[in-house]
Amino acid sequence: MNVIRSVVTGTGSYLPEKILTNYDIEQKVDTTDEWIVERTGIKQRHIAAQDEVTSDLAVIAAERALLSAGLDASEIDLIIVATSTPDQTFPSTATTVQRKLGITRGAAFDVQAVCSGFIYALTTADNFIKAGQAKNVLVIGAEIFSRILDWEDRTTCVLFGDGAGAVVLTAMSGTGNVSDRGILASRIHSDGRYSNLLYVDGGVSSTGTVGHLRMKGKEVFKHAVLNLASVVGEVLEDCNLSSEQIDWIVPHQANKRILDGTARKLKVSPEKVVITVQKHANTSAASIPLALDEAVRDGRITPGQVVILEAMGGGFTWGACLLRW
Ligand code: UT7
């Protein structure tokens, strides 16, 4: 059976120049490098310059992804930006990215699913491609979380960073079985009952302010490993594959202990997990494409391999994609 598959034909990423180490944060709040490393694995994070906005980060990541795909911006017919830290309330950051890339055709919109945003955006793009409505799609995760942190709250400000990552998805024909390249399965979930465990205490129609990130970390942690292991199980089952057949897991990078816990639950060896949290901290929707770009460029991820992307975030939202690279 002939089917349309969404194949990743290019990846790119961008991190702002400024690095803030745990030692730098020790000067701001009552914390230590030792506590942060032991509890999260994070050693440093990148922080956007004052004159940088989210679309600036997104555009550089997108240009790098286009270059690696060998495509011109004019060949893109859909741009989806996953972000919770847009330049403006409207227009969408995606249309700003579209303008900055000089694209005047097709469509562009944002997706908001916090740390699961990239999985939501990738799933949406895959459905547009499978429906025949787009051929080349730019899927971007871009965030400047440093602007919504309460820099006096040690329980959250040590955890996040800024950055952007992008992929180009291209429509290609496949046979319909799991030897095809491209996205073979994707699942997204949400459960709004948990919205009070990870949220921003402001908004356009409530306080009229941007607000600050608030999190009950321990509670989020408990749900994370369970939900992530379960949704990875779902995409494996969709493809009739077992966890031994996974070559790489590229998870959302929130906490090294969550990454280790999920791998253990799935019985996947820790060497198969791409980890960047020590260098980037949690960059929300940007963390998966940032980690993916690193592992593709350094030659770890190679064509034919089975790659799983997974994330969980505020909402709660969570999801996973299974791809053959
Ligand atoms: O991306 C979206 C998904 N987000 C996540 O997945 C985050 C999930 N949660 C976590 O990663 C962890 O729960 C945290 C890293 C946020 C916290 O780790 P924890 O092991 O759950 O610590 P805790 O919140 O139970 O805090 C332990 C202690 C507390 O002190 P007491 O009450 O035991 O005296 C905190 O006040 O550590 C204290 N603490 C800190 N100490 C030094 C909290 N933050 C800090 C800090 N430095 N930065």
Side-chain angles (χ1 to χ4, degrees), residues 32 34 59 82 115 136 246 248 303 309:
T32 58
E34 196 191 351
V59 164
C115 298
N136 291 307
I246 300 173
W248 293 105
L309 316 178

Coordinates of all heavy atoms in Angstrom, one line a residue, residues 32 34 59 82 115 136 246 248 303 309:
T32 N 22.8 25.9 45.8 CA 24.1 25.5 45.5 C 24.2 24.7 44.2 O 23.3 24.1 43.8 CB 24.7 24.6 46.7 OG1 23.8 23.5 46.7 CG2 24.7 25.3 48.0
E34 N 25.8 22.1 44.0 CA 25.7 20.7 44.4 C 24.2 20.3 44.4 O 23.9 19.2 43.9 CB 26.3 20.6 45.8 CG 26.6 19.2 46.2 CD 27.0 19.1 47.6 OE1 27.2 20.1 48.3 OE2 27.0 17.9 48.1
V59 N 14.3 31.8 14.1 CA 14.7 32.0 12.7 C 16.1 31.4 12.5 O 16.3 30.8 11.5 CB 14.7 33.5 12.4 CG1 15.5 33.8 11.1 CG2 13.2 34.0 12.2
A82 N 6.2 25.9 18.1 CA 5.7 25.5 19.4 C 6.4 26.5 20.4 O 7.6 26.5 20.5 CB 6.1 24.1 19.7
C115 N 5.9 22.3 27.6 CA 7.1 21.4 27.3 C 6.8 20.3 26.3 O 7.7 19.7 25.7 CB 7.6 20.8 28.6 SG 8.2 22.1 29.7
N136 N 6.4 20.5 2.4 CA 7.6 20.8 3.3 C 7.2 21.7 4.4 O 6.7 22.8 4.2 CB 8.6 21.6 2.5 CG 9.3 20.7 1.4 OD1 9.8 19.6 1.7 ND2 9.2 21.2 0.1
I246 N 14.5 0.0 20.1 CA 14.7 1.5 20.0 C 16.2 1.7 19.9 O 17.0 1.1 20.7 CB 14.2 2.1 21.4 CG1 12.7 1.9 21.6 CG2 14.6 3.6 21.4 CD1 12.2 2.4 22.9
W248 N 17.4 5.2 19.7 CA 17.6 6.4 20.5 C 16.3 6.9 21.0 O 15.3 6.9 20.4 CB 18.2 7.5 19.6 CG 19.6 7.2 19.1 CD1 20.0 6.8 17.9 CD2 20.8 7.2 19.9 NE1 21.4 6.6 17.9 CE2 21.9 6.8 19.1 CE3 21.1 7.5 21.3 CZ2 23.2 6.8 19.6 CZ3 22.4 7.5 21.7 CH2 23.4 7.1 20.9
P303 N 20.7 7.2 9.5 CA 19.5 6.8 8.7 C 19.2 5.3 9.0 O 20.1 4.5 9.1 CB 19.9 7.0 7.3 CG 20.9 8.1 7.3 CD 21.6 7.9 8.6
L309 N 10.8 10.3 20.3 CA 10.8 11.6 20.9 C 9.7 11.6 21.9 O 8.6 11.1 21.6 CB 10.6 12.7 19.9 CG 11.3 12.6 18.6 CD1 10.9 13.8 17.6 CD2 12.8 12.6 18.8

